[in-house]
Coordinates of all heavy atoms in Angstrom, one line a residue:
Chain H
M25 N 23.1 46.8 -171.1 CA 23.3 48.0 -170.2 C 24.7 48.4 -170.2 O 25.1 49.5 -170.1 CB 22.8 47.7 -168.8 CG 21.2 47.6 -168.7 SD 20.4 49.0 -169.4 CE 20.7 50.2 -168.0
G26 N 25.6 47.4 -170.1 CA 27.0 47.7 -170.0 C 27.5 48.5 -171.3 O 28.2 49.5 -171.1
V27 N 27.1 48.1 -172.4 CA 27.5 48.8 -173.6 C 26.9 50.2 -173.6 O 27.6 51.2 -173.9 CB 27.0 48.0 -174.8 CG1 27.2 48.9 -176.1 CG2 27.7 46.7 -175.0
L28 N 25.6 50.3 -173.2 CA 25.0 51.6 -173.1 C 25.7 52.6 -172.2 O 26.0 53.7 -172.6 CB 23.6 51.4 -172.6 CG 22.7 52.7 -172.6 CD1 22.2 53.0 -174.1 CD2 21.5 52.6 -171.7
W29 N 26.1 52.1 -171.0 CA 26.8 53.0 -170.1 C 28.2 53.3 -170.7 O 28.6 54.5 -170.6 CB 27.0 52.3 -168.8 CG 25.8 52.3 -167.9 CD1 25.0 51.2 -167.5 CD2 25.1 53.4 -167.4 NE1 24.0 51.6 -166.7 CE2 23.9 53.0 -166.7 CE3 25.3 54.8 -167.6 CZ2 23.1 53.9 -166.0 CZ3 24.4 55.7 -166.9 CH2 23.3 55.2 -166.2
S30 N 28.9 52.4 -171.3 CA 30.2 52.6 -171.9 C 30.1 53.7 -172.9 O 30.8 54.7 -172.9 CB 30.8 51.4 -172.5 OG 30.7 50.3 -171.6
L31 N 29.1 53.6 -173.8 CA 28.9 54.6 -174.8 C 28.6 56.0 -174.3 O 29.1 57.0 -174.7 CB 27.8 54.2 -175.8 CG 28.2 53.0 -176.8 CD1 27.0 52.6 -177.6 CD2 29.4 53.4 -177.6
L32 N 27.7 55.9 -173.2 CA 27.3 57.2 -172.5 C 28.6 57.9 -172.0 O 28.8 59.1 -172.3 CB 26.4 56.9 -171.5 CG 25.5 58.0 -171.0 CD1 24.6 58.5 -172.2 CD2 24.6 57.7 -169.8
F33 N 29.4 57.2 -171.3 CA 30.6 57.8 -170.7 C 31.6 58.2 -171.8 O 32.3 59.2 -171.6 CB 31.2 56.9 -169.7 CG 30.5 56.9 -168.4 CD1 29.8 55.7 -167.9 CD2 30.3 58.1 -167.7 CE1 29.1 55.8 -166.7 CE2 29.6 58.1 -166.5 CZ 29.0 56.9 -166.0
L34 N 31.6 57.4 -172.9 CA 32.5 57.8 -174.0 C 32.2 59.1 -174.6 O 33.0 59.8 -175.1 CB 32.5 56.6 -175.1 CG 33.5 56.8 -176.2 CD1 34.9 56.6 -175.5 CD2 33.3 55.7 -177.2
M35 N 30.9 59.5 -174.5 CA 30.4 60.8 -175.1 C 31.1 61.9 -174.3 O 31.2 63.0 -174.9 CB 28.9 60.9 -175.0 CG 28.1 60.0 -175.9 SD 28.8 59.8 -177.5 CE 28.3 61.4 -178.3
V36 N 31.4 61.8 -173.1 CA 32.0 62.9 -172.3 C 33.3 63.4 -172.9 O 33.4 64.6 -173.2 CB 32.1 62.5 -170.8 CG1 32.8 63.6 -170.0 CG2 30.8 62.2 -170.2
P37 N 34.3 62.5 -173.1 CA 35.5 63.1 -173.7 C 35.3 63.5 -175.1 O 35.8 64.5 -175.6 CB 36.5 61.9 -173.7 CG 35.6 60.7 -173.4 CD 34.4 61.1 -172.7
I38 N 34.4 62.8 -175.9 CA 34.2 63.1 -177.3 C 33.6 64.5 -177.4 O 34.0 65.4 -178.1 CB 33.3 62.1 -178.0 CG1 34.2 60.8 -178.2 CG2 32.9 62.5 -179.4 CD1 33.4 59.6 -178.8
L39 N 32.5 64.7 -176.6 CA 31.8 66.0 -176.7 C 32.7 67.1 -176.2 O 32.8 68.2 -176.7 CB 30.5 66.0 -175.9 CG 29.4 65.2 -176.6 CD1 28.1 65.2 -175.7 CD2 29.0 65.8 -177.9
G40 N 33.5 66.8 -175.1 CA 34.4 67.8 -174.5 C 35.4 68.2 -175.5 O 35.6 69.5 -175.7
V41 N 36.0 67.3 -176.2 CA 37.0 67.6 -177.2 C 36.3 68.5 -178.3 O 36.9 69.5 -178.9 CB 37.7 66.4 -177.8 CG1 38.6 66.7 -178.9 CG2 38.5 65.7 -176.6
G42 N 35.1 68.0 -178.7 CA 34.4 68.7 -179.8 C 34.1 70.2 -179.4 O 34.4 71.1 -180.2
V43 N 33.7 70.4 -178.2 CA 33.4 71.8 -177.8 C 34.7 72.6 -177.8 O 34.7 73.8 -178.3 CB 32.7 71.8 -176.4 CG1 32.7 73.2 -175.8 CG2 31.3 71.2 -176.5
F44 N 35.8 72.0 -177.3 CA 37.0 72.7 -177.3 C 37.5 73.1 -178.7 O 37.8 74.2 -179.0 CB 38.1 71.8 -176.6 CG 39.5 72.3 -176.8 CD1 39.8 73.5 -176.2 CD2 40.4 71.6 -177.5 CE1 41.1 74.0 -176.3 CE2 41.7 72.1 -177.6 CZ 42.1 73.3 -177.1
L45 N 37.3 72.1 -179.7 CA 37.8 72.4 -181.0 C 36.9 73.6 -181.6 O 37.3 74.5 -182.3 CB 37.7 71.2 -181.9 CG 38.7 70.1 -181.5 CD1 38.5 68.9 -182.4 CD2 40.2 70.7 -181.8
F46 N 35.6 73.5 -181.3 CA 34.6 74.5 -181.8 C 35.0 75.9 -181.3 O 35.0 76.9 -182.0 CB 33.2 74.1 -181.4 CG 32.2 75.1 -181.8 CD1 31.8 75.2 -183.1 CD2 31.6 75.9 -180.8 CE1 30.9 76.2 -183.5 CE2 30.6 76.8 -181.2 CZ 30.3 77.0 -182.6
A47 N 35.4 75.8 -180.0 CA 35.7 77.2 -179.4 C 36.9 77.8 -179.9 O 37.0 79.0 -180.2 CB 35.8 77.0 -177.9
I48 N 38.0 77.0 -180.2 CA 39.2 77.6 -180.6 C 39.3 77.9 -182.1 O 40.2 78.6 -182.6 CB 40.4 76.7 -180.2 CG1 40.3 75.4 -180.8 CG2 40.6 76.7 -178.7 CD1 41.6 74.6 -180.7
M49 N 38.3 77.3 -182.9 CA 38.4 77.5 -184.3 C 37.9 78.9 -184.6 O 36.7 79.2 -184.5 CB 37.6 76.4 -185.0 CG 38.5 75.4 -185.7 SD 37.5 74.4 -186.7 CE 36.7 73.3 -185.6
G50 N 38.8 79.8 -185.0 CA 38.4 81.1 -185.3 C 38.6 81.4 -186.7 O 39.0 82.6 -187.1
V51 N 38.5 80.5 -187.7 CA 38.7 80.8 -189.1 C 37.5 80.6 -189.9 O 36.6 79.9 -189.5 CB 39.9 79.8 -189.6 CG1 41.2 80.3 -189.0 CG2 39.5 78.4 -189.3
G52 N 37.5 81.2 -191.0 CA 36.4 81.1 -192.0 C 35.1 81.5 -191.4 O 35.0 82.5 -190.8
P53 N 34.0 80.7 -191.7 CA 32.7 81.1 -191.2 C 32.6 81.1 -189.7 O 31.7 81.7 -189.1 CB 31.8 80.0 -191.8 CG 32.7 78.9 -192.1 CD 34.0 79.4 -192.4
L54 N 33.5 80.5 -189.0 CA 33.5 80.4 -187.6 C 34.2 81.6 -186.9 O 34.3 81.7 -185.7 CB 34.1 79.1 -187.1 CG 33.2 77.9 -187.3 CD1 33.9 76.6 -186.8 CD2 31.9 78.0 -186.7
Y55 N 34.7 82.5 -187.7 CA 35.4 83.7 -187.2 C 34.4 84.5 -186.2 O 33.3 84.7 -186.6 CB 35.9 84.6 -188.3 CG 36.7 85.8 -187.8 CD1 38.0 85.6 -187.2 CD2 36.1 87.0 -187.8 CE1 38.7 86.7 -186.8 CE2 36.8 88.1 -187.3 CZ 38.0 88.0 -186.8 OH 38.7 89.0 -186.3
D56 N 34.9 84.8 -185.1 CA 34.1 85.6 -184.1 C 32.8 84.9 -183.6 O 31.9 85.6 -183.2 CB 33.7 86.9 -184.9 CG 34.4 88.1 -184.2 OD1 35.2 87.9 -183.3 OD2 34.2 89.2 -184.7
H57 N 32.8 83.6 -183.7 CA 31.6 82.9 -183.3 C 31.5 82.6 -181.8 O 30.5 82.3 -181.2 CB 31.5 81.6 -184.0 CG 32.5 80.6 -183.5 ND1 33.9 80.8 -183.7 CD2 32.4 79.4 -182.8 CE1 34.5 79.7 -183.1 NE2 33.6 78.9 -182.6
W58 N 32.6 82.8 -181.1 CA 32.7 82.3 -179.7 C 32.3 83.3 -178.7 O 31.4 83.2 -177.9 CB 34.1 81.7 -179.4 CG 34.3 81.1 -178.1 CD1 35.1 81.5 -177.2 CD2 33.6 80.0 -177.6 NE1 35.0 80.7 -176.1 CE2 34.1 79.7 -176.3 CE3 32.6 79.1 -178.1 CZ2 33.7 78.7 -175.6 CZ3 32.2 78.1 -177.4 CH2 32.7 77.9 -176.1
L59 N 32.9 84.5 -178.8 CA 32.7 85.6 -177.8 C 31.9 86.7 -178.6 O 32.1 86.9 -179.7 CB 33.9 86.1 -177.3 CG 34.8 85.2 -176.4 CD1 36.1 85.8 -176.1 CD2 34.0 84.8 -175.2
P60 N 31.1 87.5 -177.9 CA 30.4 88.6 -178.5 C 31.5 89.6 -178.9 O 32.6 89.7 -178.3 CB 29.5 89.2 -177.5 CG 30.0 88.7 -176.1 CD 30.7 87.3 -176.5
I61 N 31.2 90.4 -179.9 CA 32.2 91.3 -180.4 C 32.7 92.3 -179.3 O 31.9 92.8 -178.5 CB 31.6 92.2 -181.6 CG1 32.7 93.0 -182.2 CG2 30.4 92.9 -181.2 CD1 32.2 93.8 -183.4
N62 N 34.0 92.5 -179.3 CA 34.6 93.3 -178.2 C 34.7 94.7 -178.8 O 35.4 95.0 -179.8 CB 36.0 92.7 -177.9 CG 36.8 93.7 -177.1 OD1 36.3 94.4 -176.3 ND2 38.1 93.7 -177.3
I63 N 34.1 95.7 -178.0 CA 34.3 97.1 -178.5 C 35.0 97.9 -177.5 O 34.8 99.1 -177.5 CB 32.8 97.7 -178.8 CG1 32.0 97.6 -177.5 CG2 32.2 96.9 -179.9 CD1 30.9 98.6 -177.6
N64 N 35.6 97.3 -176.5 CA 36.4 98.0 -175.5 C 37.9 98.0 -175.9 O 38.4 96.9 -176.2 CB 36.2 97.3 -174.1 CG 36.9 98.1 -173.0 OD1 37.6 99.1 -173.2 ND2 36.8 97.5 -171.8
R65 N 38.5 99.2 -175.9 CA 39.9 99.2 -176.3 C 40.8 98.3 -175.4 O 41.8 97.8 -175.8 CB 40.4 100.7 -176.2 CG 41.7 100.8 -177.1 CD 42.1 102.3 -177.2 NE 41.1 103.2 -177.9 CZ 40.9 103.1 -179.2 NH1 41.4 102.3 -179.9 NH2 40.0 103.9 -179.7
H66 N 40.4 98.1 -174.2 CA 41.2 97.3 -173.3 C 40.7 95.8 -173.1 O 41.1 95.1 -172.4 CB 41.2 97.9 -171.9 CG 41.3 99.4 -171.9 ND1 42.4 100.1 -172.5 CD2 40.5 100.4 -171.5 CE1 42.3 101.4 -172.4 NE2 41.1 101.6 -171.8
G67 N 39.6 95.6 -173.9 CA 38.9 94.3 -173.7 C 39.7 93.1 -174.2 O 39.6 92.0 -173.7
H68 N 40.7 93.3 -175.1 CA 41.4 92.2 -175.7 C 42.2 91.5 -174.5 O 42.6 90.3 -174.7 CB 42.3 92.6 -176.8 CG 43.4 93.6 -176.4 ND1 44.6 93.2 -176.0 CD2 43.4 94.9 -176.2 CE1 45.4 94.2 -175.6 NE2 44.7 95.3 -175.7
V69 N 42.6 92.2 -173.5 CA 43.4 91.6 -172.4 C 42.6 90.5 -171.8 O 43.1 89.4 -171.5 CB 43.7 92.7 -171.3 CG1 44.5 92.1 -170.2 CG2 44.5 93.9 -172.0
I70 N 41.3 90.8 -171.6 CA 40.4 89.8 -171.0 C 40.3 88.6 -172.0 O 40.4 87.4 -171.6 CB 39.0 90.4 -170.7 CG1 39.2 91.6 -169.8 CG2 38.1 89.3 -170.1 CD1 39.6 91.3 -168.4
D71 N 40.1 88.9 -173.2 CA 39.9 87.9 -174.3 C 41.2 87.0 -174.3 O 41.1 85.8 -174.5 CB 39.6 88.5 -175.6 CG 38.2 89.0 -175.7 OD1 37.5 88.9 -174.7 OD2 37.8 89.5 -176.8
D72 N 42.3 87.7 -174.3 CA 43.6 86.9 -174.4 C 43.7 85.9 -173.2 O 44.1 84.8 -173.4 CB 44.8 87.8 -174.4 CG 44.9 88.6 -175.7 OD1 44.1 88.3 -176.6 OD2 45.6 89.6 -175.8
L73 N 43.4 86.4 -172.0 CA 43.5 85.6 -170.8 C 42.5 84.4 -170.9 O 42.8 83.3 -170.7 CB 43.1 86.4 -169.6 CG 44.2 86.9 -168.6 CD1 43.7 87.8 -167.6 CD2 44.8 85.7 -168.0
F74 N 41.3 84.8 -171.4 CA 40.3 83.7 -171.6 C 40.8 82.7 -172.5 O 40.6 81.4 -172.3 CB 39.0 84.4 -172.1 CG 37.9 83.5 -172.3 CD1 37.0 83.2 -171.2 CD2 37.7 82.8 -173.5 CE1 36.0 82.3 -171.4 CE2 36.7 81.9 -173.6 CZ 35.8 81.6 -172.6
M75 N 41.3 83.1 -173.7 CA 41.7 82.1 -174.7 C 42.9 81.3 -174.2 O 43.0 80.1 -174.5 CB 42.0 82.8 -176.0 CG 40.8 83.4 -176.7 SD 39.5 82.3 -176.8 CE 39.9 81.2 -178.2
F76 N 43.8 82.0 -173.4 CA 45.0 81.3 -172.9 C 44.5 80.1 -172.0 O 45.0 79.0 -172.1 CB 45.9 82.2 -172.2 CG 46.9 81.6 -171.3 CD1 48.0 81.0 -171.9 CD2 46.9 81.5 -169.9 CE1 49.0 80.3 -171.2 CE2 47.8 80.8 -169.2 CZ 48.9 80.3 -169.9
I77 N 43.6 80.5 -171.0 CA 43.1 79.5 -170.1 C 42.3 78.4 -170.9 O 42.4 77.2 -170.5 CB 42.3 80.1 -169.0 CG1 43.2 81.0 -168.2 CG2 41.6 79.1 -168.1 CD1 42.5 81.9 -167.2
L78 N 41.6 78.8 -171.9 CA 40.9 77.8 -172.7 C 41.8 76.8 -173.3 O 41.6 75.6 -173.3 CB 40.1 78.5 -173.7 CG 39.1 77.6 -174.6 CD1 38.0 77.0 -173.7 CD2 38.6 78.4 -175.8
W79 N 42.9 77.3 -173.9 CA 43.9 76.4 -174.5 C 44.5 75.5 -173.5 O 44.6 74.3 -173.7 CB 45.1 77.2 -175.2 CG 44.7 77.6 -176.6 CD1 44.3 78.8 -177.1 CD2 44.9 76.8 -177.8 NE1 44.1 78.7 -178.4 CE2 44.5 77.6 -178.9 CE3 45.3 75.5 -178.0 CZ2 44.5 77.0 -180.2 CZ3 45.3 75.0 -179.3 CH2 44.9 75.7 -180.4
L80 N 44.9 76.1 -172.4 CA 45.6 75.3 -171.3 C 44.7 74.2 -170.9 O 45.0 73.0 -170.9 CB 45.9 76.3 -170.2 CG 46.8 75.7 -169.1 CD1 48.2 75.7 -169.6 CD2 46.7 76.5 -167.8
T81 N 43.5 74.5 -170.5 CA 42.5 73.5 -169.9 C 42.2 72.5 -171.0 O 42.0 71.4 -170.8 CB 41.3 74.1 -169.3 OG1 40.8 75.1 -170.3 CG2 41.6 74.9 -168.0
G82 N 42.0 73.1 -172.2 CA 41.6 72.2 -173.4 C 42.7 71.1 -173.6 O 42.3 70.0 -173.8
I83 N 43.9 71.6 -173.7 CA 45.0 70.6 -173.9 C 45.1 69.6 -172.8 O 45.2 68.3 -173.1 CB 46.4 71.3 -174.1 CG1 46.3 72.1 -175.4 CG2 47.5 70.3 -174.0 CD1 47.5 73.1 -175.6
I84 N 45.0 70.0 -171.6 CA 45.0 69.1 -170.4 C 43.8 68.1 -170.5 O 43.9 66.9 -170.3 CB 45.0 69.8 -169.1 CG1 46.3 70.6 -169.0 CG2 44.8 68.9 -167.9 CD1 46.4 71.6 -167.8
F85 N 42.7 68.7 -170.9 CA 41.5 67.8 -170.9 C 41.6 66.7 -172.0 O 41.4 65.6 -171.8 CB 40.2 68.7 -171.2 CG 39.0 67.9 -171.3 CD1 38.3 67.4 -170.2 CD2 38.4 67.6 -172.6 CE1 37.2 66.7 -170.2 CE2 37.3 66.8 -172.6 CZ 36.6 66.4 -171.5
V86 N 42.1 67.2 -173.2 CA 42.3 66.2 -174.3 C 43.3 65.1 -173.8 O 43.1 63.9 -174.0 CB 42.7 66.9 -175.5 CG1 43.1 65.9 -176.6 CG2 41.6 67.8 -176.0
G87 N 44.4 65.6 -173.2 CA 45.4 64.7 -172.7 C 45.0 63.7 -171.7 O 45.1 62.5 -171.9
T88 N 44.3 64.1 -170.7 CA 43.8 63.2 -169.7 C 42.8 62.3 -170.2 O 42.7 61.1 -169.8 CB 43.3 64.0 -168.4 OG1 42.5 65.1 -168.9 CG2 44.4 64.6 -167.6

Side-chain angles (χ1 to χ4, degrees):
Chain H
M25 287 307 284
V27 171
L28 187 76
W29 282 118
S30 310
L31 287 177
L32 200 63
F33 283 118
L34 188 62
M35 290 317 284
V36 176
I38 289 177
L39 286 179
V41 172
V43 169
F44 170 62
L45 290 176
F46 177 70
I48 57 166
M49 251 189 289
V51 288
L54 287 179
Y55 181 73
D56 252 357
H57 69 295
W58 186 241
L59 297 171
I61 182 175
N62 167 36
I63 59 158
N64 180 1
R65 199 171 298 289
H66 319 300
H68 65 91
V69 181
I70 305 291
D71 286 1
D72 291 350
L73 255 173
F74 181 89
M75 291 313 282
F76 169 73
I77 294 173
L78 184 69
W79 271 100
L80 190 76
T81 49
I83 289 168
I84 292 171
F85 180 78
V86 173
T88 45

